[in-house]
Structures are given as C-alpha cells and as structure tokens.
Amino acid sequence: MKTRLDRIRQLVEEHPDRKVQTVMHMVNKETLAGVHARQEANKASGVDEMTKKEYDQNLEGNLYELMRRMKQFSYRPQPVLLRHPAKNCRGAHCASAKIVQIPRTRNARPYYNYLQDGTLRVYIPKDGSDKMRPLGIPSYEDKLVGGAMADILTAIYEPKFYEFSYGFRKSRDCHQALEVLDKKLWNWTNWVVDADIKSFFDTVDHEWMMKFLEHDIQDKNFLRYISRFLKAGVMEGGQRYESDSGVPQGGSISAILSNVYLHYVIDMWFDKVVAKRSEGRAEMVRYVDDVVFCFERESDAKGFYEALKERLRKFNLELSEDKSKIIKFGRNAPNDAGKFDFLGFTHITAMSRKGTFCVKRKTSLKKLKAKRRIVKAWLRVNMHTPINTLIDNLNRKLQGHYNYYGIIGNYESLNAFRNYVLDRLKATLNRRGSKHVLTDKLFWNLLSVYPVVMPKILHRI
C-alpha cells in the first residue's frame, strides 16, 4: 500500500494538471486490514454497535464480506451516531459514561437526554461559547473504509497543498505553524486579518466539494463512495437525518476533505490572486479552518477583508463578523494595539525588557476557561481515587498541557493554570467525606510526598 501511495504521489508531482485515473482498487482487504490495525481499542461503537475486539474475532470473514458489498456497490456508509451507546447509564459518574465526563458550566451546561431505548444523547459546550455541539461516533466499517480512502486522498493532494497549510498533514504540527507566523509578525507584518469561518465543518457545500474532487480524480467509483460518505447523515434518537452539507463527523476522512475544500476556496485564491494583486507583501498561515492573513499595507488588508466575504459567500460559507477583525500589529504598532487568537494562543504586540519590539503569546482565555472546566470535572469524577493514582494521572494531564502551551513568554499562564489545579485538588480532597479538614499545611505536606509537576518551557518559538 505504501509503495502504491508513493507512486500516486510521484505521478501527481510530475503531472500536477493531470487527473488521477483509477484508485478504487487500492481499497482492498490488505489496506482495510492495515487501517483496522491502526484503530484504537476500547473506543465507543456507532450504530452498528461493533468494536475493534469484536470485529477482530472474525477479521478475515468480515473483510471478505465488506469487500463483496463494496464491489457490488451495496455498501453504504451508515449515519454517524449522535448519542452515547452505553445502556442504562445514569450520568457522568457511571463507569461506562467516560465519553460524557464534561464539566457543567454556568452558561453552557452539557445536557443528558435519556432516550426510549435507554441510551444517552450528549451535547457538550463549544470552547468559549454558549453553543452546544453533539458528539458523533461513526460505525466501525465506516472507520475502515473512510481511513483507506483518506490515505488515498492524502497521497493525491499532499503534493498540491501549499506550504502555508499545516492542519492534519504528516510531519506538520501547530508549533511549526506558530513558528512560521512568528517570523512574519516580527519581520514585516503591519496588519493582520483574523478570519473566523462560521461553523465551517457543518456548512461545507457537497456540490462544490464534489466539483473540487472531480477536478483531480477521474475514478467515478471512488467519487461515488465519497459522495455516499458526505450524504450518510446522522442518527439521533433512533431517527435518521440526512446531511445536505458539512463533512462526516468523527471520521478520518473529514480532515482531508476539509483541507481539500479550503485549498480551493482560500489557499489557491490567495496565492494566485490576492498576493499578486496586493501592493505590499501578503502571506497567510492556515491550520484547517483556523487561519491568519498578514499584510504589509493597510489598504491591502481592508480590501482583502471585503473580498474574503464575497469569496466565502460564493462557496456557501460565511465569515463570523463578531470574531473576525482587522488588527494593527507589528513593529510599527503601538503598545496598546489589537491582539488575536490563533491555535490556542493570544498573540500580543509587546515590548521586551530591553525596550525593543516583540510578539508575546499566552494561552487563549477561552481555551484556558475550557481547560479549567475540564480539570474541575475530572477531579470531581475521580474524587475517591487513591491519592497516588490520582496525582499520577493528574500529572500526565498537566504534562500534556505544558507540552503544547509551554512556549517562551507563556510561563505565567502555565503557572496560573497549575495554581488553579492545586486549588481544585485541595477542594476536591476536602469533599471526600473525611472528618478532618485538609489544611494548607497538611495539603503542602501531601504535595511534598506526591508532587504535582511544575511548568516548563519546551518550545523556543
């Protein structure tokens, strides 16, 4: 499979304007078995109620049957399940309800709606918003077929994607995108357009998506299955709802399809039209739908902002006016210039201790609030876990937070988050039902035996 994918990638690089002819034959028993091996165990099941362990018990027979249906075109992706599949669950403290360990907040509470079949429908709050989004779980065979097709799409489009695109691409990550953006902000950027696409993953136009794919792929059978994935819909409360827009929830194919859509809607347009027509320098950095545009001149930034609205409207997308803005930013900006969020960090024009210009980054407030809600709920659920196990698990979660947010200039936010965790940890331990109050002295003595990991700067951006 790897050799075949490399060959496709090579052909696309050598003939970028030529359509890929036949690729559906690459979705076979061997490739599906490889995707099966990549799946994580103990994941929640979809409408088929099938897990990796159960599918593995008769892997050869299951794959043979799946391939038979695919060749006869009787295979159809099943709707994504918008509920928790655990039976007789009774809330966040249920052992089988790990998927709903979501904190309750004052303004945006997750709600648990028990259906007639005894299952649980779950909606969770979006970061920094009072809006709710459903949890989606695809069926197991859809994970396999979608994963194999995603590998093929990646081989076709990876050579076509631009260097400034970083989301869900091999050997590219958020910190690389931040580092590239940092160089632009330090050197020549004077204006930043912070653009937020409203509900992008739910509003992707299926007709345009298929047109983009048909521009590069000749295989009608492959495109036929892509169209089926897009129209699979969702299952909620035992009733199926068809999808006329958006990408499949929870599937591995969603990431590559989203990148393909924005490649044609924004990336190619910006590179071939906007950058060439701008009087000054104009560049962009994108991580899926999180995108920042940098401009040297104010007139270019303002003209682009209006043109972007029209561009998105053409492809049935919409710019979120309350979250999108034009910001004075860079060496020539005043100290009280605007700030913007990108990939979980707030970027701020600041002065160094030596009195020179610098770009300061700290954890985004909405991300920090979301993290606090999550750790508070997690401590509440694990209240009666033994101390050594509790703090050991807590340290792993904190280390994961430091691994991402541990960049130069953000130590203060990291330390503030740790202090919040310690405060919640002490409050949680005091609710365990003991007759003795855990005083500050006893709590710090406890931490000397079971220390909580300290923040550390890990990325020199």
Side-chain angles (χ1 to χ4, degrees):
M1 179 63 172
K2 185 178 185 301
T3 303
R4 294 176 182 176
L5 293 176
D6 290 340
R7 179 55 180 163
I8 291 178
R9 200 174 288 115
Q10 180 184 354
L11 289 173
V12 174
E13 290 175 351
E14 294 174 353
H15 309 283
D17 297 328
R18 185 183 299 177
K19 291 186 179 182
V20 177
Q21 298 296 320
T22 56
V23 291
M24 195 62 210
H25 66 279
M26 297 177 64
V27 182
N28 51 45
K29 285 178 61 178
E30 290 74 19
T31 58
L32 292 174
V35 178
H36 167 75
R38 299 202 308 254
Q39 299 300 312
E40 295 183 30
N42 301 322
K43 285 289 185 179
S45 58
V47 295
D48 59 351
E49 299 187 352
M50 179 66 70
T51 64
K52 179 180 180 179
K53 183 178 179 179
E54 293 171 344
Y55 202 83
D56 202 33
Q57 291 176 358
N58 185 25
L59 180 61
E60 191 71 19
N62 288 331
L63 292 180
Y64 177 83
E65 175 63 19
L66 175 58
M67 284 306 306
R68 184 191 65 80
R69 286 184 282 128
M70 291 195 69
K71 290 177 180 179
Q72 295 179 353
F73 288 97
S74 61
Y75 164 76
R76 289 185 176 275
Q78 300 187 63
V80 174
L81 187 66
L82 295 188
R83 63 172 174 82
H84 188 276
K87 299 285 184 179
N88 302 319
C89 178
R90 290 296 177 265
H93 294 281
C94 177
S96 60
K98 293 182 179 179
I99 197 170
V100 294
Q101 304 298 345
I102 306 298
R104 295 180 179 271
T105 62
R106 184 174 183 179
N107 296 322
R109 295 173 179 266
Y111 56 89
Y112 312 97
N113 188 5
Y114 293 95
L115 308 177
Q116 292 181 355
D117 61 355
T119 56
L120 181 65
R121 177 171 50 193
V122 185
Y123 287 80
I124 62 175
K126 298 174 70 174
D127 289 348
S129 172
D130 291 345
K131 296 181 179 180
M132 312 296 286
R133 65 177 179 87
L135 292 176
I137 310 169
S139 66
Y140 191 78
E141 286 191 336
D142 292 347
K143 292 179 183 179
L144 301 185
V145 178
M149 298 183 75
D151 291 341
I152 296 171
L153 287 170
T154 300
I156 295 172
Y157 283 99
E158 188 62 29
K160 297 177 180 289
F161 289 154
Y162 287 89
E163 286 295 316
F164 51 71
S165 171
Y166 288 86
F168 300 127
R169 296 179 63 187
K170 188 177 180 180
S171 302
R172 288 170 173 257
D173 58 31
C174 296
H175 294 109
Q176 290 175 327
L178 289 168
E179 189 168 1
V180 169
L181 176 63
D182 184 68
K183 293 178 180 178
K184 302 181 191 303
L185 297 177
W186 274 75
N187 294 330
W188 54 269
T189 299
N190 294 316
W191 295 88
V192 167
V193 175
D194 181 18
D196 183 272
I197 303 174
K198 184 182 294 185
S199 302
F200 167 71
F201 295 101
D202 298 326
T203 55
V204 169
D205 187 273
H206 290 175
E207 186 176 350
W208 275 112
M209 172 64 78
M210 295 309 300
K211 287 182 179 180
F212 295 149
L213 294 172
E214 289 167 2
H215 182 269
D216 303 300
I217 303 172
Q218 187 74 37
D219 194 328
K220 293 184 179 180
N221 292 334
F222 187 83
L223 295 173
R224 185 177 177 181
Y225 274 118
I226 293 288
S227 179
R228 288 186 178 184
F229 267 99
L230 291 173
K231 297 176 181 178
V234 297
M235 182 73 74
E236 186 173 17
Q239 185 173 354
R240 178 173 179 169
Y241 299 90
E242 298 207 356
S243 302
D244 55 1
S245 63
V247 292
Q249 292 190 45
S252 57
I253 200 172
S254 304
I256 182 64
L257 290 178
S258 300
N259 267 334
V260 170
Y261 200 82
L262 290 178
H263 168 76
Y264 282 106
V265 174
I266 294 180
D267 298 0
M268 186 176 289
W269 169 66
F270 187 89
D271 179 71
K272 296 185 178 297
V273 179
V274 176
K276 292 183 178 179
R277 292 182 180 178
S278 298
E279 296 180 1
R281 198 166 175 178
E283 296 182 11
M284 63 173 281
V285 178
R286 181 175 68 81
Y287 195 96
V288 195
D289 65 327
D290 200 354
V291 57
V292 171
F293 304 93
C294 300
F295 292 91
E296 191 175 8
R297 297 195 177 186
E298 181 181 8
S299 58
D300 292 336
K302 291 183 176 179
F304 167 76
Y305 188 79
E306 297 302 321
L308 180 62
K309 295 180 185 177
E310 295 298 322
R311 179 70 178 180
L312 294 178
R313 194 175 295 116
K314 177 181 178 181
F315 298 97
N316 294 323
L317 298 176
E318 185 180 355
L319 200 64
S320 180
E321 296 282 358
D322 56 333
K323 296 180 181 179
S324 304
K325 51 188 177 296
I326 303 174
I327 306 161
K328 176 69 173 174
F329 202 99
R331 292 183 176 276
N332 300 322
N335 293 338
D336 59 347
K339 53 189 177 181
F340 66 93
D341 288 353
F342 181 63
L343 295 180
F345 291 93
T346 300
H347 295 68
I348 308 168
T349 295
M351 301 293 289
S352 68
R353 294 179 180 178
K354 297 180 179 179
T356 58
F357 164 77
C358 70
V359 178
K360 183 178 180 180
R361 288 168 300 271
K362 64 179 184 179
T363 308
S364 168
L365 184 59
K366 71 176 184 179
K367 294 293 183 182
L368 191 58
K369 287 181 177 179
K371 288 279 188 177
R372 287 178 174 179
R373 291 198 299 264
I374 290 172
V375 74
K376 181 179 179 181
W378 183 83
L379 285 170
R380 183 84 174 266
V381 170
N382 292 273
M383 180 187 304
H384 299 289
T385 303
I387 294 293
N388 58 337
T389 304
L390 176 65
I391 295 184
D392 186 54
N393 293 335
L394 183 63
N395 280 336
R396 282 198 289 269
K397 294 182 178 295
L398 276 173
Q399 190 59 56
H401 182 82
Y402 303 154
N403 289 344
Y404 183 79
Y405 291 100
I407 66 174
I408 291 177
N410 197 38
Y411 187 87
E412 185 177 344
S413 293
L414 297 180
N415 197 46
F417 181 69
R418 180 180 181 272
N419 289 337
Y420 175 83
V421 171
L422 292 179
D423 179 71
R424 291 296 89 205
L425 176 61
K426 180 186 174 187
T428 300
L429 295 177
N430 263 320
R431 298 183 61 163
R432 296 179 73 158
S434 174
K435 296 180 180 179
H436 302 286
V437 176
L438 185 64
T439 63
D440 288 343
K441 183 177 180 180
L442 291 175
F443 181 63
W444 290 109
N445 288 340
L446 178 68
L447 293 183
S448 66
V449 179
Y450 305 107
V452 174
V453 64
M454 292 291 295
K456 187 177 181 180
I457 300 299
L458 301 170
H459 304 283
R460 300 287 173 181
I461 299 177

